[in-house]
Amino acid sequence: MNYSVKLCAIAKDEAAYIPEWIFHHLYFGFSKIEIHLNGTTDNGRCLIDVFRHVESVDIMDSQVDLEYCIGEDLPFQSYIYNKSIELERGRSEGAATHVMFLDLDEFWIPRNFETGIVNAIYENGEKSSLSFLWYWNVPSREKSPFSNAFDSENLVQANRHVKSLVNVRADILRYVVHNALLRNEDYWLENGQRFQLGEPADEHFLIRRDVFESRYLNSIPPYFIYHCLYRSEMEYVSSLSRGRAHAKDNRPIKVNRFGFVPYPNVPTLNFSIGKEKLKRYCKRYEEFLEQIELKGVVEESRLFVSNRFSEVSNLVGSNPEVLETYAAMFSGTSLAYAGKKNALKVCVDNAHVNKERQCMVITGWGYNVDTSEFDLNLSLKLEGKTYPVDKTFVKRINRKDVQIAYAKAPLSAGFEMTFFSSDQDLLHSIKEKGSLVFSDALLSKEVRLS
């Protein structure tokens, strides 16, 4: 039998990522792409016309459906998913044999970065439902804004949730967010094993914990869902303002996010992509953008994302209580420390130049008030120029006096730092007119040496 798979998604203000998402799934063998726009304020609607003549892609404005669901108190996402399945069931010809539903930050992917979705169906045989486990990507401050979703090395963490492929002719009661509710309970995993639901079985379809820990926690299966929650920090913060109107949640911040931090107590795994495979993939993506004349659209949508980041920053700056209300969502971001001028408590006790050793020795103490840790980088600054200090030459010192004075201070808050230079004039200039900069991943504080 010849299989064909339709992929469906709902999207709000995600035009910057729609072209890459479409390309990725066409590249891996999905035959149809269907995207339902809702609540859109970016340039997403122009993609309807851009893709109008691309037979395999159908982008539509589903604002009317959203308003209907809100009025009737229906879950919009499930409503669209079930409507999409019925659309395929009603086709007299050209219907997809299977349908899958993903969000715009989710990518179906083969571990070998080569095999297509249809091969996964053939390998598992005729099944009503085939589920693939989530693997979240790990946030990185080194990720540049608007870079591709994939690098040659990708750090991920397994999660018990799944996303599922369903046979449109299966005995479906209804489709929910992560899987279909089937009358015959014919649920399977991507490795040909029966899907044993977590207890109690719910509509999220969590894989059973013991199965998860034995098969998935420390390894990556042949096929999985790459959940690209984290691109750059700027994009993550920007995405928090998208809200969840489709879920009838009108709060200003998207609440199903957990900060720009790795998931705690879960092993980090490395998903590698061969350089030639990734190079070929990226080349095909560039050709895709040029062929459909998408580069101008993408540039405009990226500007929207950047402006939205500024709006979130301004919201936090003018309403500090936002950080308290949505602390979990902002954790790990630079904005989490907005207004916390005293989050770093630091002091320079003494600075002197040792002419014989050709160095400057600085003693003092410092720590992060929120973490009660001294995990700070030190650098010297003079007239706008920065002189990094190698951690090898920073000696930690116990300071009981500091700990007595400040309850949150660690015992080892003290330091003795040595900066070497054969330029005696530079050393004296720094001592007289320069400053010492304390910094961690998010904060910095500058202290004059004299």
Side-chain angles (χ1 to χ4, degrees):
M1 181 176 179
N2 293 324
Y3 296 117
S4 62
V5 183
K6 179 173 82 170
L7 180 62
C8 178
I10 64 172
K12 175 188 175 183
D13 291 341
E14 295 176 277
Y17 311 106
I18 286 175
E20 181 185 26
W21 190 84
I22 289 174
F23 162 78
H24 173 88
H25 291 98
L26 292 177
Y27 185 84
F28 285 109
F30 288 80
S31 54
K32 299 179 181 180
I33 307 289
E34 181 181 292
I35 299 176
H36 295 259
L37 304 179
N38 66 95
T40 297
T41 59
D42 66 0
N43 62 330
R45 287 188 178 86
C46 74
L47 293 172
I48 296 174
D49 291 327
V50 171
F51 281 98
R52 192 177 300 280
H53 303 295
V54 180
E55 187 176 354
S56 56
V57 180
D58 188 7
I59 301 177
M60 61 193 76
D61 189 340
S62 295
Q63 184 64 25
V64 172
D65 289 309
L66 174 62
E67 293 172 359
Y68 169 76
C69 288
I70 292 174
E72 297 296 320
D73 197 26
L74 297 172
F76 173 70
Q77 195 167 7
S78 297
Y79 176 84
I80 289 296
Y81 289 178
N82 286 281
K83 185 177 180 179
S84 183
I85 291 174
E86 291 305 315
L87 180 63
E88 295 308 308
R89 284 179 160 178
R91 293 186 192 276
S92 57
E93 58 182 30
T97 58
H98 296 74
V99 179
M100 191 173 195
F101 303 95
L102 296 176
D103 294 337
L104 265 290
D105 59 3
E106 297 170 341
F107 296 78
W108 181 90
I109 191 169
R111 189 179 61 204
N112 65 10
F113 212 69
E114 191 171 353
T115 309
I117 182 68
V118 171
N119 296 76
I121 299 174
Y122 279 120
E123 288 176 16
N124 284 278
E126 193 75 17
K127 300 290 191 299
S128 298
S129 171
L130 195 60
S131 295
F132 305 87
L133 211 71
W134 261 0
Y135 282 78
W136 293 356
N137 70 327
V138 175
S140 170
R141 296 189 182 283
E142 297 178 4
K143 191 81 170 174
S144 301
F146 307 116
S147 54
N148 292 339
F150 300 101
D151 297 311
S152 57
E153 305 295 330
N154 306 273
L155 297 180
V156 298
Q157 294 177 299
N159 182 277
R160 290 174 59 206
H161 287 86
V162 300
K163 283 297 179 79
S164 306
L165 177 79
V166 62
N167 189 320
V168 297
R169 300 303 172 188
D171 195 357
I172 303 171
L173 294 171
R174 61 190 173 94
Y175 200 99
V176 289
V177 175
H178 291 257
N179 207 339
L181 296 176
L182 303 172
R183 197 180 304 276
N184 61 1
E185 297 189 352
D186 188 34
Y187 302 115
W188 297 82
L189 294 170
E190 93 300 324
N191 59 6
Q193 301 292 316
R194 277 279 185 181
F195 184 0
Q196 301 177 49
L197 302 182
E199 293 295 339
D202 63 12
E203 293 185 0
H204 285 91
F205 283 78
L206 293 170
I207 193 169
R208 214 172 69 189
R209 188 174 296 279
D210 61 328
V211 176
F212 170 73
E213 292 179 351
S214 63
R215 295 182 187 169
Y216 297 101
L217 184 62
N218 295 293
S219 63
I220 301 175
Y223 307 105
F224 62 100
I225 303 300
Y226 181 77
H227 196 177
C228 192
L229 278 172
Y230 308 106
R231 291 182 179 257
S232 66
E233 181 188 348
M234 182 276 285
E235 290 167 280
Y236 170 77
V237 172
S238 176
S239 72
L240 293 179
S241 77
R242 288 196 293 114
R244 306 183 73 226
H246 70 276
K248 291 173 282 189
D249 184 347
N250 293 314
R251 285 174 287 187
I253 299 299
K254 192 177 178 75
V255 295
N256 63 341
R257 292 293 180 265
F258 313 101
F260 198 71
V261 292
Y263 203 76
N265 305 317
V266 177
T268 297
L269 309 174
N270 186 36
F271 163 54
S272 299
I273 303 174
K275 290 184 178 180
E276 287 303 313
K277 290 181 180 180
L278 184 60
K279 182 178 178 181
R280 182 166 59 249
Y281 174 91
C282 293
K283 183 175 183 294
R284 290 278 298 275
Y285 178 47
E286 288 300 316
E287 293 171 350
F288 175 78
L289 293 177
E290 292 178 4
Q291 179 184 355
I292 309 181
E293 299 180 350
L294 283 166
K295 288 194 173 181
V297 175
V298 170
E299 288 176 4
E300 182 181 344
S301 58
R302 287 176 174 178
L303 180 61
F304 174 88
V305 173
S306 299
N307 290 338
R308 189 174 58 188
F309 167 78
S310 298
E311 291 174 4
V312 177
S313 298
N314 293 335
L315 174 66
V316 169
S318 58
N319 300 277
E321 65 275 7
V322 170
L323 287 175
E324 297 178 12
T325 304
Y326 303 101
M329 289 86 242
F330 283 100
S331 63
T333 69
S334 301
L335 289 179
Y337 289 89
K340 293 188 176 181
K341 296 180 181 179
N342 297 316
L344 295 185
K345 189 169 284 293
V346 298
C347 177
V348 172
D349 293 326
N350 181 263
H352 70 273
V353 174
N354 187 318
K355 186 176 181 180
E356 292 181 1
R357 294 180 61 204
Q358 296 185 326
C359 69
M360 174 187 294
V361 179
I362 302 174
T363 57
W365 54 268
Y367 67 96
N368 186 309
V369 174
D370 292 326
T371 63
S372 295
E373 293 179 358
F374 183 113
D375 187 18
L376 304 174
N377 298 308
L378 301 178
S379 59
L380 293 166
K381 191 173 181 180
L382 176 67
E383 297 176 344
K385 187 173 182 179
T386 299
Y387 300 87
V389 177
D390 193 317
K391 283 193 173 183
T392 306
F393 303 110
V394 179
K395 179 182 177 182
R396 298 290 295 278
I397 299 173
N398 288 345
R399 292 288 298 266
K400 188 66 178 177
D401 59 324
V402 176
Q403 194 175 56
I404 292 173
Y406 303 99
K408 290 188 175 182
L411 178 61
S412 57
F415 68 88
E416 179 182 271
M417 185 207 84
T418 306
F419 176 70
F420 292 91
S421 174
S422 58
D423 187 340
Q424 292 292 309
D425 290 337
L426 173 63
L427 293 176
H428 284 284
S429 294
I430 292 176
K431 180 180 182 299
E432 294 170 4
K433 298 183 291 184
S435 56
L436 180 63
V437 179
F438 299 76
S439 63
D440 62 10
L442 297 170
L443 300 167
S444 66
K445 194 164 188 176
E446 190 172 331
V447 179
R448 288 294 301 268
L449 295 176
S450 60

